[in-house]
Amino acid sequence: MSEPIYVTQPFLPPLRELQPYLEQIWKNRQLTNAGPFHEQLEQALCNYLGVDHISLFANGTLALVTALQALRIAGEVITTSYSFVATAHSLLWNGIQPVFVDIDPESLNLDPAKIEEAITPQTSAILPVHVYGRPCDTAKIQQIADIYGLKVIYDAAHCFAVQDQGGSVLRHGDLSILSFHATKVFTTFEGGAIVSPDAKTKQRIDFLKNFGFADEVTVVAPGINGKMNEFQAALGLLQLKYIDDALKQRAEIDCRYRAALSSLTGIRCLSLPESKRHNYSYFPIMVEPEYPIGRDALYDRLKNSNIFARRYFYPLITDFPMYRGRPSARPERLPVAMAIAGKILCLPIYPELTEPQVARIAEIIADV
Ligand code: T4K
């Protein structure tokens, strides 16, 4: 049996290039709490992503939890069931009730046409997800938020480097959060960030991620420990040197898959978004009824060949016990999300996936 192929593999720069960073950390002895690499990475990411204010975090989930705290969100928040479970968990960790709204069948993001009917006097915010790095309909979502006086926090965990026609997709809404987990396009092993529109909001977030300390003797809020450490920040600085190459390689793999799969009956490749820059973080296909076998059978067949595709996002968040009983989680309220969760399959994509490996995966799918 050939080497296993996973849905993703982190891109790791040459180990020897980490050595100078480690030496510097050993020399400084500042291991965390806004050390020099942390500060450098915040600046470098602002420059690279084209945003003004970034606060680094230990992971994306803590960034989400803190973003909701920073804007004092309470009551109910409208969100999607078609995401990683951390999106909704961040609401429960803040004592906020998630209200699930169905997705759009093309973008797979929150359907703006269905948001208004879910708004109640308790609604304080919308938490959409740019799923697979494909931008939400940010203009329509903002329009609704403005009418009803709601905040918008984007879960942009998949959106590193994504740009729409106006620039970074991270500029939309009141805040955006990123994940730098090992499975993401840009990784610091674990890590995340919040993108803020202004210095005052960033400062509040920076207090909140450091227990609420404003200075040595002043605590201004019941903060948490969400800080990114110096080792993570060093990994980030090193990754940034390679990110353009990594994105280019991902784009090539995306292109190869499309060439090999798009004429297959019953296999639908998701169309590329109209972004100015896409990050090719996932390669989702829909296994339609015309395909000879079902999605799970294809998943198993690939697995038997040591190829570990993933069914992101099946089960839906609303299938998990802590969400299932809610009125907005009822299957009849989420027909599109249910249908997509039943046929989606994310194929392996990462910079070091070779041309023969892509060809082999496509061949197995074609041979069914
Ligand atoms: N919002 C959204 C929309 C998200 O997708 C996520 C995370 C978050 C928020 C929260 O951000 P973080 O708190 O995680 O920063 C993975 C990740 O754990 C998770 O970060 C990610 N989304 C989610 C979509 O996927 P799993 O359970 O699928 O990971 P796992 O361990 O099965 O890894 C998948 C494959 O990746 C493995 O088969 C092999 C490969 N892999 C994985 C790891 C961890 C490696 O090659 N090396 C590694 O170190 O959740």
Side-chain angles (χ1 to χ4, degrees), residues 294-360:
R295 186 272 314 270
D296 291 345
L298 176 59
Y299 166 86
D300 285 338
R301 202 170 275 214
L302 289 165
K303 203 170 178 176
N304 292 338
S305 304
N306 238 1
I307 296 159
F308 299 92
R310 290 296 287 265
R311 290 163 290 190
Y312 297 129
F313 290 101
Y314 161 85
L316 291 176
I317 293 177
T318 41
D319 289 329
F320 297 122
M322 62 296 293
Y323 301 105
R324 206 161 36 206
R326 294 160 195 269
S328 66
R330 285 205 299 267
E332 63 270 24
R333 303 286 301 262
L334 306 166
V336 180
M338 296 270 298
I340 303 288
K343 57 183 182 176
I344 197 81
L345 192 62
C346 288
L347 299 182
I349 184 163
Y350 51 89
E352 284 157 324
L353 190 68
T354 63
E355 208 170 333
Q357 284 174 319
V358 173
R360 189 158 78 83

Side-chain angles (χ1 to χ4, degrees), residues 6-10 59-61 64 83-84 86-87 129 155 157-158 179 181-184 191 282 310 312-313:
Y6 298 104
V7 68
T8 186
Q9 286 271 271
N59 60 60
T61 304
L64 266 174
S83 180
F84 189 59
T87 309
V129 182
D155 182 337
H158 304 169
S179 165
H181 182 257
T183 54
K184 298 294 189 288
Y282 294 83
R310 290 296 287 265
Y312 297 129
F313 290 101

Side-chain angles (χ1 to χ4, degrees), residues 98-295:
V99 173
F100 298 100
V101 160
D102 208 1
I103 56 171
D104 173 87
E106 285 310 309
S107 71
L108 311 188
N109 295 325
L110 211 51
D111 185 346
K114 300 199 178 124
I115 292 177
E116 277 189 271
E117 64 200 38
I119 296 174
T120 75
Q122 281 71 50
T123 310
S124 58
I126 309 172
L127 176 58
V129 182
H130 302 293
V131 175
Y132 312 134
R134 299 155 60 82
C136 292
D137 189 339
T138 51
K140 283 220 181 95
I141 290 172
Q142 194 57 54
Q143 203 181 14
I144 296 166
D146 289 344
I147 293 172
Y148 293 90
L150 306 177
K151 299 281 188 201
V152 183
I153 297 174
Y154 280 103
D155 182 337
H158 304 169
C159 267
F160 192 86
V162 173
Q163 292 178 4
D164 60 21
Q165 299 311 325
S168 170
V169 80
L170 305 168
R171 75 190 185 285
H172 294 294
D174 294 280
L175 294 174
S176 285
I177 78 98
L178 284 163
S179 165
F180 306 150
H181 182 257
T183 54
K184 298 294 189 288
V185 165
F186 170 86
T187 181
T188 55
F189 288 18
E190 291 275 3
I194 302 180
V195 176
S196 318
D198 57 75
K200 195 160 163 251
T201 311
K202 172 175 162 56
Q203 190 187 52
R204 177 164 162 74
I205 289 165
D206 288 345
F207 292 163
L208 280 171
K209 76 175 189 188
N210 186 28
F211 313 98
F213 275 108
D215 62 41
E216 217 176 296
V217 291
T218 316
V219 173
V220 294
I224 199 162
N225 181 356
K227 291 168 276 127
M228 175 181 277
N229 67 47
E230 284 292 274
F231 181 69
Q232 289 172 288
L235 291 168
L237 286 166
L238 193 48
Q239 279 258 331
L240 259 190
K241 296 186 181 171
Y242 291 90
I243 190 71
D244 284 332
D245 286 345
L247 292 173
K248 210 168 132 250
Q249 284 161 307
R250 283 176 175 275
E252 284 164 14
I253 294 164
D254 182 287
C255 196
R256 279 185 206 125
Y257 270 135
R258 281 174 201 281
L261 299 175
S262 52
S263 62
L264 293 185
T265 308
I267 295 293
R268 184 157 75 86
C269 301
L270 243 63
S271 60
L272 278 172
E274 283 166 26
S275 317
K276 199 162 134 209
R277 188 175 201 204
H278 185 50
N279 66 8
Y280 310 91
S281 45
Y282 294 83
F283 194 85
I285 58 167
M286 306 277 191
V287 184
E288 303 288 358
E290 301 77 48
Y291 190 68
I293 59 173
R295 186 272 314 270

